[in-house]
C-alpha cells in the first residue's frame, strides 16, 4: 500500500488556485514523517496540459491528470465521478482539498462516493506514529478536535485558503512525473446537474485581502455608507485589504460576503489588523487570530474583541476612522 | 410540489464563548446553552416557503437529533412548514457527516418522494458543510451547495452559486438537493397565530427501526469513518493595552504602532 499524499489542483483562471501551493507545502512537511510517500498534484478537467505544467512545481513528485470533455465544468457531481475513480485506481493514503467554493463541495461529495472520512476545514495536520491527526475547529473555532480516519482509505482533509503558508515564489519543476489517468469512466458518466452559464467578476484594483500586510476590518459598529467610505479611503492610503464581519455584510453596504473574515469566510494573518466596531464573536475571531498586531476600536469597554487585541481604544468607530485617516493623509 | 427541508437543532451560537472542556473527562461542557434552529436552515425554510407561494406544494421538515429537538421542529412548523419528522434514536447518535447524511437520506426515502430537498449550507456547531452533498450522493441525486437563488423551471431547478472569480448558474433535474447560502433571502417573522396553529400540525418521531433497509454498518458512531481524538480549547494569547486620549491622540498612537510594525 502506498503512502502518497494527493493535493487537488483546482483551476482558477489559468493556474492552480493559491491554496494548492499552500497544501503542497504542508504535504511536504507530512512527507518527512511518511517514509516512501510522494506528494502528488491532481488535475481534473478538459485540455489539462497547461494546468499540468502550472501544477508541476518544486515539491511535487508526480501529477495525476484526468482529461475529458465532460470535465469542463464547476459541477461537483460530475467532477466527483472522476476524482473518486482516480483515487480508486491509485489508492493514495491522504487526499488534501482546498476549501474553495468548488473544493468545499467536491471534497464531501467525493468522500461520500468513496465512503471514507473527511476532516473539515483543518487548521493543522499532524502525522504521528499511529495516525494522521487533523485539527478541526468547531463551535465557531472555540474548540479544536483531533479528527482521524482509522479504518478507511484515503484520509481526506479540506483546508481553507490562507491557513498554511506557501513560499512567495513557486519554482517550476519539469521533473514531476505526469500520469495521464485512464478516463474511460467519463465516457458514459452523467450528472443530474448542468452548468448553464458562468459570468466572470469584473476585475477590481482592490488589494487582495489574503495578500495584504495590513487589513482594515469593518464590523457592525461601522454602519453608515459615509463611515464605510472613509474606511475605504483609509485602507487605500495604507495599501490595506478590506474585510468585514457577517453583521457588517448584513447591513448591505457590500454586495456579497466575498471578503468576510471568519469561519464561513476568509482567514487572514496580516502583520497589522485594524478592527472597527467588532464584537469578537468566535466565528469571526477564528479567521483573524493569527494576525501579528491587532488594534481594535469599540464603543463598549467590555467588548470581547479586546481580548484578542494588542491595543484597544474605547470610542466611536466612525470618528476613529476619520481621525486616523487625517493622520495618515498628513 | 413536495419539498423537504433538513433542519438541525444547534446550541445557540451567541453562547459559544462559554463552552469549556471539562478538564477531567475531556468532554465539552455546554450544559445550559439553549438550542435553536440552525440559522442557515431558517433560510432554507424561507426559500421553501417562497417556492410554495409561487408554485404551490407542501413542505416537510426533517431532523435527526435527541427528542428535545421537537421544540425546534414546532418552531419550523410555525414558520410555515406543513409536517415534521424527527429521527431520534441512540443507534444513530455520535454520527459523523457520512453517517448523518446516510440516516437523513433514509428518512427522506421513507417520507418521500420529494421534488426538492433543501438544506442550510452549514451548521453553527460542526459547520463542515458536508451533509447536503453527501445526502445527494447517498440518494443518487444532483446537489448544489451555497445557492444564492433557487427557482423552479418546469421539471428542473435553477440555482446560482458564487465562486472565487465569478458566478455560475446551474440547472438541476428533479429531485435534487440544494443547500442555501444565508444571503439567499430574509427570513420572515412568525406571529402568535402561526405558533398556535403549529401545535396542531403533524410531527412524527421515527426510530431506526422505522427506516427501510437501514444498513447498520453505516449508522451512528460505529458507522462513522471519522473518529474524534482529543479536544483542545482555543484561548487568546494576547493581553490588551488600552490606549487613552482624544481621538486625535489615539489615532496618532495607532499610526505610530502601525509604522513601527510594518518597518520591522
Ligand atoms: C455558522 C456561522 C458562521 C459564521 N461565520 C462568520 C464569519 O465567517 N465571519 C463573521 O464575521 N461572522 C460570522 N458569523 C457571525 C458571528 O457569529 C457574529 O454574529 C458576527 O461576527 C458579529 O459581527 P460584528 O462584530 O460586526 O457585529 P456585532 O456582534 O453586532 O457587534 C458590533 C460591535 O460594534 C460595537 N459598536 C456598535 N456601534 C459602534 C460604534 N459607533 N463605534 C464603535 N463600536 C461600535 C458594539 O459594541 C459591538 O461590540 C457566523 C455565525 C454562524 C452561526
Ligand atoms: C468538534 C467536532 C468536529 C467535527 N469534525 C468533523 C469532521 O471533520 N468530519 C466529519 O465528517 N464530521 C465531523 N464532526 C461531526 C459532525 O459535526 C456531525 O456529523 C454533524 O451531525 C453533521 O455535520 P455538521 O453539523 O457539520 O453539518 P453541515 O454539513 O455543516 O450542515 C449542513 C446542513 O445539513 C443539514 N443537517 C446537518 N445535520 C443535520 C441533522 N442532524 N438533522 C437535519 N439536518 C441536518 C442542515 O440543513 C444543515 O444546515 C465533528 C463534530 C464535532 C463536535
Amino acid at each position: 500500500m502506498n503512502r502518497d499524499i494527493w493535493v487537488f489542483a483546482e483551476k482558477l483562471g489559468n493556474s492552480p488556485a493559491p491554496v494548492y501551493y499552500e497544501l503542497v507545502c504542508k504535504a511536504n512537511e507530512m512527507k518527512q514523517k511518511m517514509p516512501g510517500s510522494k506528494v502528488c498534484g491532481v488535475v481534473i478537467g478538459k485540455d489539462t496540459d497547461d494546468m499540468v505544467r502550472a501544477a508541476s512545481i518544486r515539491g511535487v513528485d508526480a501529477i495525476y491528470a484526468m482529461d475529458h470533455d465532460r470535465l469542463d465544468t464547476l459541477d461537483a457531481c460530475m467532477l466527483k465521478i472522476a476524482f473518486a475513480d482516480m483515487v480508486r485506481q491509485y489508492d493514495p493514503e491522504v487526499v488534501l482539498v482546498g476549501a474553495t467554493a468548488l473544493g468545499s463541495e467536491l471534497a464531501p461529495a467525493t468522500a461520500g462516493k468513496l465512503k471514507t472520512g473527511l476532516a473539515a476545514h483543518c487548521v493543522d495536520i499532524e502525522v504521528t506514529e499511529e495516525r494522521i491527526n487533523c485539527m478541526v475547529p468547531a463551535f465557531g473555532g472555540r474548540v479544536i478536535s483531533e479528527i482521524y480516519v482509522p479504518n478507511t482509505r484515503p484520509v481526506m482533509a479540506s483546508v481553507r485558503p490562507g491557513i498554511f503558508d506557501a513560499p512567495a515564489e513557486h519554482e517550476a519543476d519539469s521533473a514531476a512525473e505526469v500520469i495521464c489517468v485512464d478516463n474511460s469512466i467519463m465516457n458514459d458518466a452523467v450528472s443530474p446537474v448542468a452548468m448553464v452559464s458562468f459570468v466572470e467578476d469584473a476585475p477590481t484594483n482592490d488589494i487582495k485581502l489574503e495578500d495584504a500586510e495590513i487589513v482594515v476590518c469593518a464590523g457592525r459598529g461601522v454602519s453608515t455608507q459615509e463611515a464605510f467610505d472613509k474606511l475605504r479611503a483609509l485602507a487605500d492610503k495604507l495599501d490595506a485589504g478590506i474585510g468585514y464581519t457577517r453583521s457588517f455584510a448584513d447591513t448591505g453596504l457590500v454586495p456579497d460576503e466575498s471578503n468576510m473574515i471568519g469561519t464561513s469566510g476568509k482567514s487572514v494573518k496580516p502583520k497589522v489588523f485594524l478592527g472597527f466596531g467588532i464584537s469578537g464573536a468566535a466565528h469571526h475571531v477564528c479567521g483573524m487570530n493569527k494576525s501579528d498586531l491587532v488594534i481594535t476600536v469599540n464603543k463598549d469597554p467590555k467588548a470581547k474583541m479586546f481580548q484578542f487585541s494588542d491595543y484597544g481604544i474605547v470610542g466611536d468607530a466612525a470618528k476613529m476612522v476619520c481621525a486616523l485617516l487625517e493622520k495618515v493623509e498628513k | 410540489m413536495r419539498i423537504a427541508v433538513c433542519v438541525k437543532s444547534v446550541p445557540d451560537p451567541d453562547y459559544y464563548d462559554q463552552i469549556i472542556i471539562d478538564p477531567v473527562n475531556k468532554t465539552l461542557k455546554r450544559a445550559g446553552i439553549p438550542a435553536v434552529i440552525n440559522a442557515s436552515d431558517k433560510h432554507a425554510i424561507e426559500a421553501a416557503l417562497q417556492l410554495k407561494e409561487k408554485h404551490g406544494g407542501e413542505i416537510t421538515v426533517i431532523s435527526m437529533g435527541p427528542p428535545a429537538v421537537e421544540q425546534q421542529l414546532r418552531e419550523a412548523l410555525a414558520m410555515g412548514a406543513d409536517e415534521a419528522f424527527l429521527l431520534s434514536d441512540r443507534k444513530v447518535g455520535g454520527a459523523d457527516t457520512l453517517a448523518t447524511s446516510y440516516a437523513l437520506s433514509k428518512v427522506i426515502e421513507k417520507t418521500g418522494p420529494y421534488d426538492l430537498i433543501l438544506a442550510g449550507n452549514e451548521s453553527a456547531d460542526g459547520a463542515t458543510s458536508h451533509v447536503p452533498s453527501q445526502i445527494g450522493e447517498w440518494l443518487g441525486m444532483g446537489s448544489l451547495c451555497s445557492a444564492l437563488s433557487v427557482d423552479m423551471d418546469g421539471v428542473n431547478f435553477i440555482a446560482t452559486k458564487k465562486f472565487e472569480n465569478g458566478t455560475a448558474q446551474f440547472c438541476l433535474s428533479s429531485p435534487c438537493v440544494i443547500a442555501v447560502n444565508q444571503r439567499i433571502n430574509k427570513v420572515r417573522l412568525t406571529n402568535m397565530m402561526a405558533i398556535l396553529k403549529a401545535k396542531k400540525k403533524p410531527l412524527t418521531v421515527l426510530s431506526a427501526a422505522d427506516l427501510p433497509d437501514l444498513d447498520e454498518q453505516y449508522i451512528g458512531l460505529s458507522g462513522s469513518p471519522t473518529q474524534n481524538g482529543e479536544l483542545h480549547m482555543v484561548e487568546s494569547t494576547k493581553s490588551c493595552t488600552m490606549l487613552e486620549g482624544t481621538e486625535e491622540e489615539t489615532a496618532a498612537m495607532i499610526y505610530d504602532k502601525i509604522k513601527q510594525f510594518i518597518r520591522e
Side-chain angles (χ1 to χ4, degrees):
Chain A
M1 276 200 292
N2 78 67
R3 303 209 68 189
D4 292 353
I5 307 166
W6 281 18
V7 180
F8 177 58
E10 177 183 347
K11 185 174 183 223
L12 199 61
N14 291 316
S15 46
V19 66
Y20 172 70
Y21 305 107
E22 297 161 12
L23 292 181
V24 164
C25 223
K26 186 72 199 177
N28 273 280
E29 229 179 274
M30 295 168 68
K31 177 180 161 178
Q32 303 299 319
K33 299 208 177 127
M34 296 169 66
S37 68
K38 282 191 285 194
V39 172
C40 312
V42 178
V43 173
I44 300 174
K46 177 188 177 216
D47 301 332
T48 52
D49 288 358
D50 289 348
M51 265 299 287
V52 167
R53 219 167 296 128
S56 303
I57 53 165
R58 217 171 106 182
V60 175
D61 303 307
I63 301 275
Y64 288 88
M66 191 187 279
D67 199 310
H68 197 281
D69 285 355
R70 291 212 163 102
L71 296 171
D72 186 19
T73 180
L74 293 169
D75 162 29
C77 294
M78 183 62 89
L79 296 170
K80 75 178 175 186
I81 299 173
F83 204 173
D85 190 57
M86 293 169 83
V87 169
R88 284 196 189 109
Q89 289 187 50
Y90 292 93
D91 192 34
E93 176 160 338
V94 179
V95 174
L96 305 178
V97 181
T100 56
L102 176 65
S104 11
E105 188 159 353
L106 181 58
T110 306
K113 211 169 219 355
L114 294 165
K115 298 201 176 31
T116 192
L118 168 63
H121 311 136
C122 307
V123 291
D124 204 356
I125 303 172
E126 288 172 5
V127 180
T128 68
E129 295 276 312
E130 301 89 46
R131 64 192 196 207
I132 293 167
N133 265 331
C134 304
M135 303 299 170
V136 172
F139 298 96
R142 173 77 176 161
V143 171
I144 290 185
S145 174
E146 293 175 6
I147 298 285
Y148 61 104
V149 181
N151 302 320
T152 53
R153 262 174 87 99
V155 176
M156 291 188 68
S158 70
V159 180
R160 286 185 188 284
I163 295 290
F164 297 136
D165 292 315
E169 306 277 320
H170 343 283
E171 278 174 62
D173 187 355
S174 51
E177 181 194 356
V178 178
I179 297 105
C180 298
V181 179
D182 179 280
N183 67 358
S184 48
I185 190 149
M186 295 315 297
N187 291 337
D188 30 48
V190 279
S191 165
V193 185
M195 185 164 98
V196 185
S197 65
F198 183 78
V199 181
E200 209 165 316
D201 291 339
T204 65
N205 292 324
D206 290 351
I207 304 222
K208 269 185 74 190
L209 185 59
E210 302 88 314
D211 302 339
E213 280 204 326
I214 304 179
V215 164
V216 177
C217 185
R220 192 159 58 185
V222 180
S223 54
T224 63
Q225 182 70 51
E226 198 190 345
F228 188 52
D229 287 344
K230 288 272 196 269
L231 186 130
R232 293 192 76 103
L234 174 66
D236 192 47
K237 286 276 177 252
L238 290 170
D239 281 333
I242 299 175
Y244 36 82
T245 64
R246 173 164 279 165
S247 299
F248 176 80
D250 287 344
T251 62
L253 290 169
V254 283
D256 55 37
E257 290 189 345
S258 54
N259 281 324
M260 180 170 81
I261 295 174
T263 46
S264 312
K266 289 187 169 166
S267 292
V268 297
K269 39 180 181 214
K271 280 193 172 158
V272 181
F273 179 98
L274 281 174
F276 296 93
I278 302 169
S279 61
H283 288 99
H284 172 71
V285 168
C286 170
M288 54 67 66
N289 59 7
K290 286 187 179 163
S291 309
D292 288 334
L293 178 71
V294 178
I295 306 175
T296 57
V297 179
N298 197 302
K299 69 173 184 191
D300 174 6
K302 291 200 289 286
K304 256 175 303 189
M305 193 62 189
F306 290 135
Q307 294 169 18
F308 303 95
S309 309
D310 300 286
Y311 295 100
I313 293 156
V314 178
D316 180 68
K319 284 186 187 152
M320 275 312 297
V321 171
C322 288
L324 192 55
L325 179 60
E326 266 175 41
K327 272 278 163 293
V328 178
E329 277 175 338
K330 264 198 212 143
Chain B
M1 175 169 49
R2 289 197 71 204
I3 306 174
V5 185
C6 299
V7 172
K8 187 179 182 189
S9 164
V10 298
D12 188 338
D14 284 350
Y15 295 81
Y16 288 0
D17 307 276
Q18 296 174 14
I19 290 176
I20 48 167
I21 294 169
D22 188 311
V24 183
N25 54 21
K26 301 270 179 200
T27 53
L28 282 178
K29 276 175 83 169
R30 54 184 195 206
I33 300 184
V36 294
I37 297 183
N38 181 44
S40 109
D41 304 357
K42 286 193 176 175
H43 293 271
I45 296 171
E46 177 64 37
L49 292 170
Q50 291 182 12
L51 284 168
K52 176 178 166 174
E53 280 161 6
K54 210 165 149 187
H55 305 283
E58 236 178 82
I59 302 169
T60 305
V61 285
I62 289 174
S63 191
M64 177 175 110
V69 174
E70 267 195 41
Q71 209 180 326
Q72 280 71 53
L73 287 179
R74 283 284 167 218
E75 203 185 313
L77 293 171
M79 286 178 71
D82 302 294
E83 186 173 13
F85 290 95
L86 171 62
L87 171 61
S88 201
D89 196 316
R90 279 185 192 283
K91 280 186 170 169
V92 295
D96 74 353
T97 63
L98 193 69
T100 299
S101 56
Y102 177 69
L104 287 172
S105 70
K106 283 292 167 188
V107 178
I108 290 165
E109 260 175 20
K110 159 99 183 165
T111 61
Y114 298 100
D115 301 284
L116 171 66
I117 293 126
L118 289 171
N121 200 52
E122 64 188 352
S123 69
D125 49 358
T128 61
S129 300
H130 292 178
V131 170
S133 43
Q134 295 189 329
I135 291 177
E137 171 60 30
W138 284 112
L139 294 172
M141 295 178 189
S143 61
L144 186 74
C145 292
S146 206
L148 285 166
S149 67
V150 180
D151 204 355
M152 193 174 79
D153 168 24
V155 290
N156 299 319
F157 289 91
I158 307 291
T160 52
K161 171 172 171 174
K162 177 103 182 58
F163 290 84
E164 279 70 13
N165 56 346
T167 304
Q169 193 178 60
F170 294 92
C171 174
L172 296 91
S173 40
S174 174
C176 58
V177 184
I178 298 179
V180 304
N181 186 291
Q182 304 220 25
R183 294 185 77 84
I184 190 170
N185 53 37
K186 283 236 176 319
V187 177
R188 69 192 65 184
L189 298 170
T190 39
N191 57 37
M192 215 38 224
M193 266 308 282
I195 295 171
L196 290 175
K197 254 172 75 186
K199 292 202 173 127
K200 298 206 188 74
K201 291 183 180 174
L203 190 162
T204 312
V205 180
L206 301 170
S207 70
D210 296 319
L211 300 178
D213 314 316
L214 189 74
D215 190 337
E216 304 237 343
Q217 69 164 318
Y218 295 124
I219 61 168
L221 183 62
S222 62
S224 296
T226 70
Q227 297 290 319
N228 280 68
E230 222 174 288
L231 286 166
H232 306 271
M233 287 286 290
V234 180
E235 299 283 6
S236 174
T237 51
K238 300 217 182 258
S239 74
C240 187
T241 309
M242 300 308 286
L243 303 176
E244 278 160 33
T246 64
E247 271 128 27
E248 218 192 310
E249 287 161 1
T250 46
M253 288 186 246
I254 301 182
Y255 191 39
D256 284 343
K257 306 259 177 260
I258 298 174
K259 280 192 297 194
Q260 251 177 34
F261 217 80
I262 291 296
R263 234 183 286 125
E264 270 167 18

